Amino acid sequence: MTTDSIVIENVKGVTKLSATFDFTCQKIIVITGKNGIGKTTLVKAFKLISDPQVFQKSAGLNSIRPDSSVSFNLDGWKPFDFSFNQTIGTLDTKQQLPPKDTVAAELPIPYGARFKQFSLIASFDSELRTNIASTDYQDANELQEFLNKVYSNNKFVDLKVTNIKRLNLYFILRESDYYIREDHFSSGEFFLIQLYRLITSGSKLIIIDEVDVSLDAAAQVHLFEAIEPLLDKYESKLIVMSHSLAFMSTVNDGGLYYLENNNNIASLEKRSYGYVKSDLYGFKGKDRYIITEDKTLSGFLNFLIKSEITTFFEYEIIAAGGEQQVKTIAEKNDTDEIFGQSEEVIIVVDKDIYNTINYRGPSEIHSSPVNDIELFIWQNKENLLGDVEINDFTHALREKDTAKTYWKKVIKSGQRTRDDLYELVKINNEDETGQLIDTLKRHLCLT
């Protein structure tokens, strides 16, 4: 397992924030949360490693106090911590730190290094002209590929790079040695180049606030996929702050963390996209869906989930109303994604139609442990409900209708609850119910 941990105490408005970032299955972690919760404080805490004066430079009075501290436990390094030094009035440490630039923390406007590159690049214009005149430059193939992935075009086919005073400068070459410097690109393009610089700098852990600044929605959608190969190549890990739903929707399951604050005690936990979308923006939507036949089977699934499963994904169970309706809704989702991608939807039907339902789409079909839940209770009432007395009861023409009536009267009589009846189905069909629980876990839990 590859993890990095940080504990922040009594810094700015944060009384305590303890966070562990799990990089075991991914190289990118995205943090989001409401404004003023502590996201920028988290970035500044990482910045302490290279700049102990960061809070004095970029925060208000009393941001750091005698009881302030920041502790780190980073993969590959011995734990170290910063505590208040009364003599210099700031956070300080006497412990060994990772080598310079091993951890790179990029602050938001106006403190981040990327916002200060404009003037630096402009100051090298005469040297750039000289290098272009002497053809001292190369094709910037890797950056070109990265930008083309983000923007889905070939705008950067003539992108070049030259080195001036140990800094790689990028430009697009035009006819007659005319060129467009990177600081004359759009703001989104310019900031992507700064992101590329960070990833290729040799830093093993990179933390960036406002990673998607100035990027249009289409670019935000492609950014995550474009970054991953670079992180693999340069063996880097990336933590970014974002409020972009377009960007967050592309994050791998388990890679989205939500920062919340309760009475200045901050928590940072893995959350699903549906949870974040609902809590942060008030949008109602789910991560996973289950289509089933009727309310009774829907209730049984809810019973199993609540009693057996700690879900990660936000979910909704849709009682379609019958076999044909299940098929129609599933097929409609396959074509129009009215709920989500087909892989985000499963179908659970009674055992008696499991092998006959005429649906051939990509959503998985699974079976209830019994042919019909209400019918199972009715047909086994002597063994399961021998002490239950229902006096005002008449049989219907169809046994299924009789079973439905009996089910309702048992619950209405107060002799058994609905969950009591579901429990009877569960314990008397352990193997089949266990298989269904495993299916629900795969669908609703983070594996």
Side-chain angles (χ1 to χ4, degrees):
M1 179 175 286
T2 304
T3 61
D4 292 314
S5 300
I6 183 173
V7 179
I8 303 172
E9 294 189 87
N10 302 310
V11 176
K12 293 191 69 177
V14 176
T15 301
K16 185 170 183 179
L17 169 58
S18 178
T20 298
F21 304 101
D22 185 359
F23 289 100
T24 305
C25 298
Q26 65 246 323
K27 293 290 187 71
I28 308 174
I29 284 174
V30 179
I31 297 175
T32 191
K34 297 177 182 178
N35 289 329
I37 298 289
K39 296 188 299 298
T40 299
T41 298
L42 183 62
V43 179
K44 290 178 180 179
F46 276 101
K47 186 71 174 178
L48 277 171
I49 299 172
S50 59
D51 184 4
Q53 298 291 325
V54 61
F55 284 101
Q56 279 65 24
K57 295 176 181 177
S58 61
L61 295 175
N62 298 320
S63 295
I64 302 299
R65 305 178 289 278
D67 57 354
S68 298
S69 66
V70 179
S71 302
F72 294 92
N73 191 350
L74 305 183
D75 181 59
W77 302 99
K78 293 181 179 179
F80 57 93
D81 57 77
F82 290 80
S83 56
F84 187 76
N85 185 320
Q86 188 70 45
T87 303
I88 59 178
T90 188
L91 291 173
D92 192 21
T93 183
K94 302 298 183 184
Q95 296 168 301
Q96 183 178 1
L97 300 178
K100 185 180 179 181
D101 298 329
T102 298
V103 178
E106 175 66 10
L107 299 177
I109 296 173
Y111 302 104
R114 58 194 150 152
F115 304 104
K116 302 175 182 179
Q117 290 279 15
F118 287 98
S119 58
L120 177 62
I121 293 167
S123 69
F124 289 146
D125 188 66
S126 60
E127 291 92 339
L128 177 60
R129 289 173 181 268
T130 300
N131 285 9
I132 291 174
S134 60
T135 64
D136 183 12
Y137 56 81
Q138 298 81 39
D139 292 332
N141 294 324
E142 188 174 70
L143 176 57
Q144 178 192 127
E145 182 180 357
F146 171 61
L147 294 173
N148 287 344
K149 280 185 179 179
V150 174
Y151 288 106
S152 299
N153 59 36
N154 292 316
K155 176 180 178 180
F156 302 95
V157 66
D158 293 318
L159 187 67
K160 309 295 181 183
V161 59
T162 190
N163 188 273
I164 300 174
K165 297 182 179 178
R166 294 188 295 181
L167 176 67
N168 282 337
L169 267 68
Y170 299 94
F171 60 95
I172 293 178
L173 190 62
R174 296 292 189 239
E175 293 181 359
S176 302
D177 288 343
Y178 171 68
Y179 59 93
I180 304 173
R181 283 195 325 247
E182 61 180 88
D183 57 321
H184 292 156
F185 293 178
S186 74
S187 57
E189 294 164 355
F190 178 81
F191 289 137
L192 284 177
I193 293 176
Q194 312 320 307
L195 173 59
Y196 174 80
R197 278 197 174 98
L198 280 171
I199 294 174
T200 59
S201 67
S203 297
K204 297 307 177 184
L205 177 62
I206 303 165
I207 303 92
I208 304 176
D209 205 347
E210 299 176 352
V211 68
D212 43 45
V213 63
S214 299
L215 293 182
D216 59 54
Q220 291 168 17
V221 168
H222 296 119
L223 179 59
F224 189 91
E225 183 182 6
I227 291 174
E228 285 187 300
L230 290 176
L231 294 173
D232 287 335
K233 178 177 179 178
Y234 290 95
E235 299 180 346
S236 295
K237 299 173 293 184
L238 181 64
I239 300 172
V240 299
M241 313 292 158
S242 176
H243 284 108
S244 165
L245 281 177
F247 179 55
M248 287 186 283
S249 69
T250 64
V251 176
N252 295 333
D253 293 337
L256 183 59
Y257 286 58
Y258 193 47
L259 185 61
E260 300 174 89
N261 195 314
N262 185 14
N263 296 323
N264 290 331
I265 302 298
S267 64
L268 185 63
E269 303 288 345
K270 294 179 183 180
R271 297 296 188 191
S272 71
Y273 174 69
Y275 179 97
V276 170
K277 185 170 65 171
S278 176
D279 192 67
L280 187 60
Y281 289 95
F283 297 158
K284 300 303 178 184
K286 307 297 180 181
D287 302 294
R288 300 289 187 268
Y289 293 86
I290 303 169
I291 302 174
T292 190
E293 288 181 75
D294 53 42
K295 291 183 178 180
T296 303
L297 183 50
S298 172
F300 181 62
L301 296 175
N302 258 321
F303 167 76
L304 294 180
I305 292 167
K306 291 176 181 178
S307 61
E308 298 286 343
I309 302 172
T310 301
T311 62
F312 175 80
F313 295 109
E314 297 286 297
Y315 70 94
E316 184 169 340
I317 301 174
I318 300 161
E323 177 182 354
Q324 183 57 44
Q325 289 87 340
V326 168
K327 174 179 177 291
T328 300
I329 289 176
E331 290 175 342
K332 180 69 172 174
N333 185 72
D334 291 337
T335 56
D336 297 339
E337 294 191 354
I338 54 177
F339 303 123
Q341 296 179 3
S342 299
E343 294 74 16
E344 298 167 354
V345 178
I346 63 170
I347 301 165
V348 180
V349 295
D350 284 331
K351 198 172 184 179
D352 59 352
I353 69 165
Y354 172 66
N355 290 317
T356 61
I357 185 170
N358 187 26
Y359 168 74
R360 299 293 180 267
S363 293
E364 295 180 1
I365 304 177
H366 300 277
S367 173
S368 162
V370 295
N371 287 340
D372 181 280
I373 290 175
E374 294 159 330
L375 194 59
F376 175 83
I377 293 296
W378 164 253
Q379 292 175 339
N380 295 278
K381 60 185 181 299
E382 285 80 8
N383 294 327
L384 303 178
L385 301 172
D387 61 333
V388 171
E389 294 185 6
I390 303 296
N391 297 319
D392 56 337
F393 182 77
T394 56
H395 289 252
L397 294 176
R398 293 195 322 148
E399 189 178 27
K400 275 198 174 187
D401 293 334
T402 300
K404 287 181 181 294
T405 302
Y406 181 75
W407 173 278
K408 292 176 182 178
K409 287 187 175 292
V410 169
I411 296 170
K412 188 176 181 180
S413 73
Q415 298 174 73
R416 295 290 191 278
T417 66
R418 183 175 281 100
D419 283 355
D420 289 336
L421 299 179
Y422 287 144
E423 181 70 21
L424 290 173
V425 175
K426 173 187 169 185
I427 63 178
N428 285 277
N429 301 273
E430 289 186 352
D431 291 343
E432 295 90 343
T433 304
Q435 293 173 15
L436 180 56
I437 291 171
D438 289 341
T439 293
L440 295 172
K441 284 181 179 178
R442 289 194 299 272
H443 191 54
L444 301 176
C445 298
L446 184 64
T447 55

